[in-house]
Amino acid sequence: MTVTRSADPGRPRVEGPLKLTGAARYAADHRPDSVLHAVLVGAPVAAGRLRGLDAAAARILPGVTAVLTAADLPSFPELPPPAAVRVMPFSDDRILFEGQPVAIVLGESIEAAEAGRAAVVVDCEREAPVLLGHGRREPAMGDEVVFARGDVDAALADAVLADGGIRIEQTYLQAPRHHHAMETSGTVARWDGDRLTLWDAVQASSTVIPVVSTAFGVDAADVHVVARHTGGGFGAKGYIWPHEILAAAAARVIGRPVKLHLRRSDQFSNVGYQPWMEQTIRLAAGADGVLTGLEHEVVNNTALADTHVEPATEASKSLYAVPALRLRQLIERVSLNVPTPMRAPVEGPGLWALESAMNELADAAGLDPLDVRLANFAEVSPADGRPWSVNGLREAYEEGARRYGWRTRHQRPRRDGPWVIGHGMATCTMGSFRFPGAGRVRLRRDGAVVEANVHDIGTGVQTVLSQIAAEELGIPPERVETRWGDTDLPRTGPTYGSSTTMGTGSAVAAAARDVTKQLAELGQGGRDPFEALDRAGLDELVGEGTFALPGGAQFNQDGAGTPYAIRTWGVIFVEVGVDPDFGLLRLRRAVGVYSAGRIVNPVTARAQMTGGIIWGWGKATMEESDQDPVHGRWLAKNLSNVAVPVNADIPADLDVSFTDEYDEAASLIGARGVGELGATGVDAAVAAAVHDAVGVRVRDLPILPWKVLAG
Ligand code: MOS
């Protein structure tokens, strides 16, 4: 096997200098003439009714232009997906979570608006909030069993009776956590008559248009969204949130442009977070560790009115060959805002439970955790028996174990000063989310231009698209410029779900091939494209390309409806130091090997995986958003209370590599997805390493020092 070494050269990010010099313009950097600054006034209680609101003192403050309440705002229809909420705030007097908007203060400066906010008196009738773990549980989608095959109950019963049979039943918890991108979510809205322009901090501006046009009853063609540099998203900017519509509503009411950028404290309640989750895994296996049955039950919290389902059972549906399988999805309604996908959604939470249980199975069977995975390797898709498009997981296991020194790990010293050293591993996997999209390539005398409405959330997409066009045209990537982040450009899929390089990359490759084809039709084939353009006497030649899905679908998961099942895989090995006196944890090194199709740019792909591993360490050991047990609100209101990994937490020794692949079933350019894969499996590997070090099994994320000591 060839492995793309992490030291391989790749093209550095073209947008790097813009960001480092402050030239990159984010949503809030747009200041249309006469713009007003908006600040939301949130409900002070987590449950109850809005009785009254006194804004008289706020309205007379200098610089306060207006205080808008429900009476001032238009009534909104129910919002279609991908709006995160169905019913807009201000629709009635019920308070369903703390921070729910009840007024909007508009000021000539942000300081004036903030002062106005502090002067608004909100009078609420308080009710007892519904706390996490105490809400009403209901099936997530009609029936709580979302998938069943074979007889799981018989497999579980037989495992108890059989000689050496193994049965594992454990419940795994994870705390809610917020995305907290450096750039909070926010929107600048300007109306020109019935035409609306939004400068928006989003991951999918094309999907803003149908929601916003429905909200205001305007023509979709009259809504224009600009979203160039986005300061991180991680899923919180994936769907459409009320503040985007409220910014536009306020601008319409007041007749001036409005900038509504969420304050950090509002970010807790006015966009989503990853839900609290309780997952139960039941495994049945023979003495050889081969699975005979698997049940995976998932409960995630959602809001009282709005529903987010975290389909974490997908992990168990798609990873191991197991004859009997039953998957259950439930939701629990509590007095919090609605959660949303967060890097890595779906399999991220799912693997925390499944891979933890697989590590427990290995211990129960007296087998190496790697051998248990190999014993249950799925040669075809366990969900439906289709062959894999490309599956490099076996090579990834082998290469990862080699690079880590996995098979000889316990021959190394078990202590380093106060640190007791443990080793853990887990499989990584993500589904393949494909969206249709378009791209354009303009060949000009002075260079080529790629046009596609992708977003730059920090992934380096401009660099990758320019590389793809350059490679297809046979010109240096330095001669390709990228235009992105504007709904006037060719429509692409959203910038989430690890889908952009695969989908838009293919559309751009097709557009570049269209340019080459046109040059050939002009009798200029086989030449340097600039020379060919010159000889054809043209100043510009425009190529168009699309990435289409089977049946013209708007979304395709795991290659549904095609002969091949498409997914991504990997393996993560971690070495963790545990201080048994204080319960402290240190990540000492990690090795990740990933099977994700062709890697277009090793620099940006490696950065995605490195970031994912760091993100996973944060989930495993630090991140937790608590609901106050008395008031029902989020306990934290700023980042000073939020623990996330910093440089000092992360060793230099993060070894990331990729199996060498070209997946033509997944995309025209051979790529699958990388963005979220690296964040999967890390938590389960860390928990296994802690157990390996000190014999304490923590099944409740994050693994805080007190949990290690309590064990
Ligand atoms: Mo990622 S949760 O798909 O932005």
Side-chain angles (χ1 to χ4, degrees):
M1 175 190 78
T2 331
V3 166
T4 310
R5 308 269 159 189
S6 48
D8 267 6
R11 196 174 177 219
R13 288 154 191 263
V14 294
E15 82 285 7
L18 288 178
K19 288 179 172 169
L20 285 174
T21 58
R25 296 182 79 200
Y26 295 81
D29 293 326
H30 293 89
R31 299 179 193 86
D33 284 347
S34 75
V35 69
L36 285 172
H37 299 261
V39 174
L40 297 175
V41 180
V45 302
R49 280 182 190 280
L50 179 64
R51 235 179 342 224
L53 194 144
D54 184 356
R59 288 196 172 103
I60 58 168
L61 286 175
V64 171
T65 314
V67 179
L68 306 179
T69 66
D72 304 301
L73 294 168
S75 59
F76 298 102
E78 267 196 22
L79 302 176
V85 306
R86 212 166 34 85
V87 178
M88 280 288 286
F90 297 97
S91 296
D92 60 33
D93 64 354
R94 287 183 311 154
I95 303 299
L96 301 179
F97 58 90
E98 189 265 352
Q100 176 185 320
V102 294
I104 305 169
V105 181
L106 298 176
E108 301 295 333
S109 66
I110 187 68
E111 292 81 5
E114 290 276 5
R117 174 189 167 277
V120 173
V121 180
V122 182
D123 178 23
C124 285
E125 183 185 306
R126 185 183 188 282
E127 291 165 14
V130 185
L131 300 177
L132 288 170
H134 299 273
R136 197 180 75 234
R137 288 191 177 183
E138 54 191 72
M141 335 174 208
D143 190 346
E144 70 176 56
V145 174
V146 293
F147 186 88
R149 181 187 59 226
D151 191 341
V152 172
D153 295 321
L156 288 166
D158 289 351
V160 177
L161 299 173
D163 194 23
I166 300 166
R167 196 173 142 160
I168 304 281
E169 173 165 352
Q170 291 296 349
T171 295
Y172 303 91
L173 301 171
Q174 68 178 64
R177 53 193 191 123
H178 283 79
H179 310 67
H180 282 313
M182 278 170 73
E183 179 203 33
T184 60
S185 294
T187 305
V188 181
R190 186 185 71 200
W191 290 90
D192 301 288
D194 267 347
R195 289 184 54 86
L196 174 63
T197 301
L198 298 176
W199 291 268
D200 209 358
V202 288
Q203 292 174 239
S205 61
S206 305
T207 66
V208 172
I209 291 180
V211 175
V212 168
S213 64
T214 301
F216 293 99
V218 297
D219 197 340
D222 288 336
V223 182
H224 176 209
V225 186
V226 181
R228 283 174 57 76
H229 296 280
T230 299
F234 313 113
K237 293 168 181 162
Y239 295 158
I240 290 85
W241 293 90
H243 69 269
E244 296 168 78
I245 293 162
L246 294 175
R252 198 169 218 195
V253 166
I254 207 75
R256 289 170 65 177
V258 165
K259 176 186 295 192
L260 200 176
H261 228 75
L262 295 185
R263 307 177 320 145
R264 182 60 67 181
S265 57
D266 292 334
Q267 185 84 8
F268 286 84
S269 292
N270 286 281
V271 290
Y273 54 94
Q274 188 165 58
W276 171 86
M277 296 185 69
E278 178 190 287
Q279 303 183 67
T280 300
I281 300 274
R282 297 181 187 91
L283 294 182
D288 53 2
V290 174
L291 290 168
T292 53
L294 163 56
E295 179 163 57
H296 188 165
E297 179 176 316
V298 172
V299 186
N300 72 268
N301 89 272
T302 187
L304 291 176
D306 288 298
T307 301
H308 167 73
V309 178
E310 190 64 47
T313 55
E314 284 290 322
S316 293
K317 188 163 139 189
S318 309
L319 188 49
Y320 296 114
V322 54
L325 180 63
R326 187 164 59 211
L327 308 176
R328 300 176 189 272
Q329 290 274 167
L330 294 101
I331 49 173
E332 177 177 311
R333 297 196 178 276
V334 303
S335 300
L336 288 169
N337 47 313
V338 68
T340 202
M342 178 176 180
R343 184 193 197 193
V346 190
E347 287 85 351
L351 289 180
W352 157 237
L354 176 64
E355 288 299 281
S356 290
M358 290 300 280
N359 284 330
E360 297 202 41
L361 171 62
D363 288 350
L367 293 169
D368 189 290
L370 180 54
D371 291 329
V372 166
R373 269 79 178 186
L374 290 168
N376 291 288
F377 191 86
E379 301 292 348
V380 296
S381 164
D384 55 22
R386 280 177 302 159
W388 302 116
S389 58
V390 176
N391 181 339
L393 179 56
R394 218 190 270 282
E395 294 93 316
Y397 282 142
E398 191 183 316
E399 177 69 4
R402 188 186 70 76
R403 292 170 90 96
Y404 188 86
W406 179 254
R407 297 289 186 184
T408 55
R409 64 194 183 280
H410 288 142
Q411 293 165 22
R412 300 163 76 107
R414 296 302 301 257
R415 274 198 93 110
D416 179 7
W419 303 105
V420 181
I421 294 160
H423 307 272
M425 58 98 46
T427 309
C428 313
T429 186
M430 277 298 289
S432 153
F433 290 176
R434 297 190 301 167
F435 300 89
R440 185 178 296 133
V441 172
R442 297 177 186 275
L443 181 68
R444 292 176 173 167
R445 290 179 175 232
D446 57 349
V449 181
V450 168
E451 296 180 345
N453 182 29
V454 291
H455 302 296
D456 167 33
I457 56 173
T459 51
V461 63
Q462 306 96 322
T463 313
V464 169
L465 294 182
S466 64
Q467 279 184 284
I468 290 169
E471 182 183 293
E472 293 289 344
L473 292 171
I475 61 176
E478 294 73 29
R479 297 198 68 181
V480 183
E481 180 198 332
T482 307
R483 292 192 187 148
W484 76 96
D486 190 311
T487 52
D488 285 347
L489 296 170
R491 188 193 157 112
T492 71
T495 303
Y496 54 64
S498 307
S499 59
T500 299
T501 298
M502 190 170 33
T504 309
S506 294
V508 166
R513 289 181 195 182
D514 185 34
V515 168
T516 304
K517 181 168 150 267
Q518 291 182 52
L519 288 174
E521 284 164 3
L522 291 165
Q524 305 298 333
R527 291 181 203 287
D528 168 80
F530 296 112
E531 191 193 321
L533 191 72
D534 188 47
R535 284 184 177 237
L538 295 172
D539 289 326
E540 181 181 83
L541 206 153
V542 182
E544 306 277 356
T546 58
F547 180 66
L549 295 172
Q554 288 305 301
F555 173 62
N556 182 276
Q557 187 171 356
D558 295 2
T562 75
Y564 297 103
I566 305 171
R567 293 183 62 83
T568 57
W569 294 273
V571 62
I572 179 81
F573 296 93
V574 296
E575 180 180 313
V576 176
V578 183
D579 182 326
D581 296 324
F582 294 99
L584 297 172
L585 306 183
R586 289 286 181 274
L587 181 62
R588 296 167 59 92
R589 64 190 180 103
V591 171
V593 183
Y594 303 98
S595 162
R598 179 187 162 214
I599 300 304
V600 176
N601 184 324
V603 168
T604 54
R606 183 179 190 277
Q608 286 293 301
M609 294 338 217
T610 305
I613 293 170
I614 296 168
W615 188 262
W617 175 254
K619 182 190 178 197
T621 66
M622 296 182 188
E623 290 179 49
E624 172 166 10
S625 295
D626 288 318
Q627 186 186 25
D628 180 300
V630 175
H631 301 294
R633 53 163 259 190
W634 293 113
L635 202 53
K637 283 286 175 183
N638 58 52
L639 292 183
S640 72
N641 297 313
V642 174
V644 293
V646 297
N647 282 351
D649 294 308
I650 302 304
D653 197 1
L654 298 185
D655 177 4
V656 166
S657 55
F658 298 91
T659 56
D660 191 17
E661 299 173 5
Y662 191 96
D663 190 338
E664 51 194 17
S667 66
L668 186 63
I669 56 170
R672 294 199 298 277
V674 297
E676 325 242 23
L677 178 63
T680 68
V682 182
D683 39 20
V686 170
V690 171
H691 180 258
D692 183 51
V694 294
V696 177
R697 190 82 74 181
V698 180
R699 302 187 182 91
D700 175 12
L701 294 182
I703 307 172
L704 298 175
W706 70 265
K707 296 178 189 174
V708 177
L709 293 178

